[in-house]
Amino acid sequence: MFNPMSMEGRNIVVTGASQGVGEAAAEMVVKLGGRAILVDVQGDKLEAVADKLGEGNAEVHVGSVADPGFVQDMVNKSVASSGAIHGLVNNAGIVRAAMINKMPIETWQQVIDVNLSGVFYCLQAVGRHMIERSKDGDKNPGAIVNISSIAGRRGTIGQINYGAAKAGVLGITMSAAKEWGRYGIRVNSACFGIVATEMTETIRSEKFRETYMQQVVLQRFSTPEEVVQGVCFLLSDASSYVTGQHLTIDGGSHIGF
């Protein structure tokens, strides 16, 4: 049966793949017939994810997306072992909370390094490879999905570093889409609301739950498995004429023009 979201024969890089959204994205890629290239700093967890995905369905690269040397080496090794990279889920991210007037510079920089610069490093390295394939005649060199957040569209309290990084991801997405459209490379972002992962445990706790839940039209937090369906849509041929867009997957938390 025809499936426009099929990943058959495609190798997809997923950063932050050891848990949460990244792990769910890798699982969905494999379920759709693709092969996942797993990237994270947590080696033991990453190996466990690879084992769960099954032999031949994944390869593992342990390192930080904030290190451009590691990122380029990861791409080179992935191309050497797989033949080509057809997609990127630019998902790796961290949270380091503090109010603006109390935020240490290193706390600001840690989040910017991973959530913004890391997105650029991965996009640049994978994009260069896709451009070369396009120049060699590949009419469908690949798709990139950068993971953003509604925090980057409306701001956030206690996480100005995170909000700034996620807003920057939207700019990266639009700029890359405009530059690389002539090569057939599509670049989009997925903007999540509150997803039930380890990263959101604090804001989903009893202390903050009701405040945030009041903003969600569907009156529940999402699961990683829910949101990655939209990510895989943007990776797949089902979105073949979509680029430079921000798909908001947030249960209606952010509704507006």
Side-chain angles (χ1 to χ4, degrees):
M1 187 174 73
F2 173 66
N3 178 9
M5 284 182 61
S6 172
M7 299 285 166
E8 196 72 37
R10 299 187 185 185
N11 304 304
I12 310 295
V13 174
V14 182
T15 69
S18 70
Q19 60 189 20
V21 169
E23 180 180 359
E27 290 181 359
M28 184 68 68
V29 164
V30 171
K31 286 179 181 177
L32 290 168
R35 183 169 176 272
I37 299 168
L38 310 175
V39 180
D40 206 289
V41 294
Q42 302 184 86
D44 291 344
K45 286 187 174 183
L46 209 58
E47 292 288 354
V49 172
D51 289 344
K52 184 167 65 171
L53 295 178
E55 186 175 356
N57 290 325
E59 66 178 84
V60 169
H61 297 270
V62 181
S64 173
V65 297
D67 177 356
F70 161 75
V71 170
Q72 187 61 60
D73 186 58
M74 176 272 294
V75 170
N76 293 343
K77 289 179 178 177
S78 297
V79 172
S81 64
S82 305
I85 294 172
H86 305 96
L88 166 64
V89 181
N90 228 340
N91 168 72
I94 61 173
V95 171
R96 299 289 184 271
M99 301 302 282
I100 297 170
N101 58 314
K102 297 179 180 178
M103 180 172 287
I105 295 302
E106 57 268 27
T107 299
W108 164 270
Q109 198 62 53
Q110 286 170 347
V111 171
I112 296 299
D113 287 346
V114 174
N115 295 25
L116 185 60
S117 296
V119 166
F120 169 72
Y121 299 147
C122 292
L123 175 136
Q124 183 185 60
V126 171
R128 284 170 172 165
H129 161 69
M130 290 178 174
I131 288 170
E132 288 305 309
R133 294 214 334 275
S134 175
K135 289 180 177 179
D136 288 340
D138 193 331
K139 299 299 183 184
N140 188 18
I144 295 171
V145 182
N146 299 319
I147 303 303
S148 185
S149 166
I150 58 173
R153 306 189 79 172
R154 68 183 193 186
T156 182
I157 295 173
Q159 295 181 348
I160 192 172
N161 45 7
Y162 185 82
K166 292 304 186 181
V169 167
L170 303 181
I172 286 175
T173 295
M174 293 183 289
S175 295
K178 288 186 174 183
E179 286 194 23
W180 293 349
R182 63 194 176 112
Y183 299 112
I185 301 168
R186 298 184 300 104
V187 187
N188 293 286
S189 65
C191 300
F192 299 153
I194 298 174
V195 185
T197 65
E198 288 185 23
M199 188 180 289
T200 64
E201 279 182 347
T202 299
I203 59 177
R204 288 186 293 109
S205 68
E206 199 65 36
K207 182 177 180 180
F208 300 108
R209 180 182 178 85
E210 189 56 36
T211 298
Y212 283 98
M213 188 61 75
Q214 288 175 3
Q215 303 169 25
V216 183
V217 172
L218 293 183
Q219 287 294 287
R220 61 181 178 83
F221 300 132
S222 66
T223 66
E225 292 73 21
E226 278 185 304
V227 297
V228 299
Q229 293 181 65
V231 172
C232 286
F233 162 73
L234 293 173
L235 284 175
S236 75
D237 290 344
S239 62
S240 60
Y241 201 59
V242 179
T243 194
Q245 303 303 307
H246 315 309
L247 176 60
T248 301
I249 309 171
D250 68 350
S253 299
H254 179 83
I255 296 176
F257 294 105

